[in-house]
Amino acid sequence: MIAEEVYDLVLDDLFIRADHLVPGSNVFLKLEGLNPAGSVKLKTAIALVAQAEESGLRLPGTRLIESTSGNLGVALAMVCSAKGYRLTCVTDPNANPQSVRMMKALGAEVVVIDVRDANGGYLQSRIDYIHDRLAGEPGRTHWLNQYANPAGPKAHRERTARAVLDAIGHVDYVFIGAGTTGTLMGCAEFFRQHSPATRIVAVDSVGSVSFGGAPARRHIPGLGTSRRPEILDESKVDEVVIIPEADAVKMCRIFAGERGLLLGGSTGTVLAAVEEKAKDIPFGSVVVAISADLGERYLETIYDDAWVNGRWPEVIDTPQIPA
């Protein structure tokens, strides 16, 4: 493959089998972390920036701004650097330090908001900062707004979900993590139209309020919100599975030790949901799980014994990479 720009290198046809999670069925893990931005958010970033360009904004004269837990910020920084656009990423202390360094290395301004919102998270506080920034820089700053912008789900409707159906064919279940819910909504819309029998399973974290759960402190970026995203439409989802973060970390560490695959926190959450629902999945089913990113950005958290021990000491006994 030879591309004109780095953001053209979207790899949408990479899967690895994980049949052991649902004995008697075929389980495919769609790996989204092997593009240059390292996550499924590259497709979101391309779509959000394209929508801003098509809206008539004077780019590169206008600064783009977005709230991000990490992966979207890296992807946006990559796209904006290649296009010559100014970008501000608004994140919080839960963001992986490596992601923050990558955003800065790619030329983005990074603002870290450390004031918790009413639900114990940082999302509303990040958005409040963006509103203040927009008010103080009228006409000079534009919010991409992944939480309400239909360009995000459209990217995953046209690319991510289509790639699954093209590669796998018949699909009985799709497990998709719910963060900003752009990937979830786009995939759900596509399967509702092109494979209505496919069961859409949304996966969220304990402590997230997206599906009406009680707010609680969370430690792993990527899944869950402390503010319901505007693009979320629960009517397009068949089932919601809520997973404790400790189970997600345990699944990540098991895959590292047994499969040689470092997975990101949201992937661990999704795979823990697949394992939890295995008893309800009929024999011979075809199951697809979306892996939003890989684990290199989590070496200081999920794969660090001291960090995990300080939060979930019961997880440390989980097998990891053999000594």
Side-chain angles (χ1 to χ4, degrees):
M1 178 184 291
I2 299 176
E4 290 293 329
E5 298 289 350
V6 64
Y7 51 80
D8 292 327
L9 295 170
V10 176
L11 306 176
D12 238 341
D13 57 354
L14 302 176
F15 297 78
I16 189 169
R17 299 192 74 118
D19 297 351
H20 65 286
L21 292 174
V22 187
S25 292
N26 297 302
V27 181
F28 301 92
L29 180 61
K30 187 178 190 301
L31 299 177
E32 295 281 354
L34 292 172
N35 63 60
S39 78
V40 70
K41 292 291 191 177
L42 178 56
K43 286 173 278 190
T44 305
I46 293 168
L48 293 176
V49 173
Q51 189 276 334
E53 292 171 328
E54 294 163 3
S55 72
L57 284 176
R58 187 172 60 85
L59 294 171
T62 303
R63 174 177 292 276
L64 301 177
I65 192 168
E66 183 58 294
S67 163
T68 172
S69 59
N71 281 338
L72 180 62
V74 173
L76 282 171
M78 177 176 289
V79 173
C80 288
S81 174
K83 289 178 173 284
Y85 301 158
R86 294 182 299 160
L87 173 69
T88 295
C89 296
V90 184
T91 189
D92 61 60
N94 279 345
N96 296 317
Q98 183 179 354
S99 296
V100 173
R101 291 194 294 268
M102 291 177 72
M103 291 180 233
K104 292 179 178 179
L106 288 164
E109 175 191 24
V110 179
V111 178
V112 179
I113 302 298
D114 60 4
V115 177
R116 293 189 180 273
D117 59 31
N119 284 326
Y122 297 100
L123 178 53
Q124 187 60 56
S125 298
R126 295 185 337 221
I127 291 174
D128 290 344
Y129 172 87
I130 290 175
H131 284 302
D132 290 342
R133 186 81 175 254
L134 293 173
E137 301 171 358
R140 293 180 287 130
T141 300
H142 173 75
W143 183 19
L144 295 169
N145 196 0
Q146 61 171 323
Y147 312 101
N149 193 330
K154 181 181 178 183
H156 297 290
R157 183 172 68 245
E158 296 179 349
R159 304 183 76 165
T160 307
R162 185 176 299 278
V164 169
L165 205 59
D166 287 349
I168 306 302
H170 173 80
V171 179
D172 295 300
Y173 294 81
V174 180
F175 285 74
I176 308 165
T180 57
T181 71
T183 305
L184 171 64
M185 288 294 95
C187 290
E189 290 167 6
F190 179 88
F191 278 99
R192 282 285 174 262
Q193 179 178 357
H194 298 281
S195 181
T198 298
R199 190 166 179 83
I200 306 298
V201 183
V203 182
D204 202 3
S205 297
V206 170
S208 169
V209 305
S210 296
F211 295 94
R217 184 175 181 180
R218 292 171 289 109
H219 303 275
I220 302 172
L223 283 196
T225 65
S226 56
R227 170 187 178 275
R228 181 185 171 94
E230 290 87 345
I231 57 175
L232 174 59
D233 181 354
E234 291 185 58
S235 69
K236 296 175 181 176
V237 173
D238 294 299
E239 185 174 0
V240 179
V241 181
I242 309 296
I243 298 295
E245 287 189 318
D247 291 354
V249 172
K250 186 181 298 184
M251 182 63 73
C252 288
R253 293 166 73 94
I254 288 173
F255 259 72
E258 297 182 357
R259 298 295 300 272
L261 182 60
L262 290 175
L263 299 171
S266 60
T267 306
T269 310
V270 168
L271 292 179
V274 173
E275 185 176 62
E276 179 175 305
K277 298 300 297 182
K279 62 183 182 300
D280 301 321
I281 294 176
F283 186 89
S285 295
V286 176
V287 180
V288 173
I290 306 295
S291 169
D293 64 356
L294 297 182
E296 292 90 340
R297 297 175 190 174
Y298 302 82
L299 293 177
E300 299 177 31
T301 55
I302 289 171
Y303 298 99
D304 182 82
D305 283 355
W307 187 89
V308 175
N309 190 56
R311 292 156 179 81
W312 311 284
E314 71 276 13
V315 173
I316 292 301
D317 292 333
T318 301
Q320 202 182 358
I321 300 172

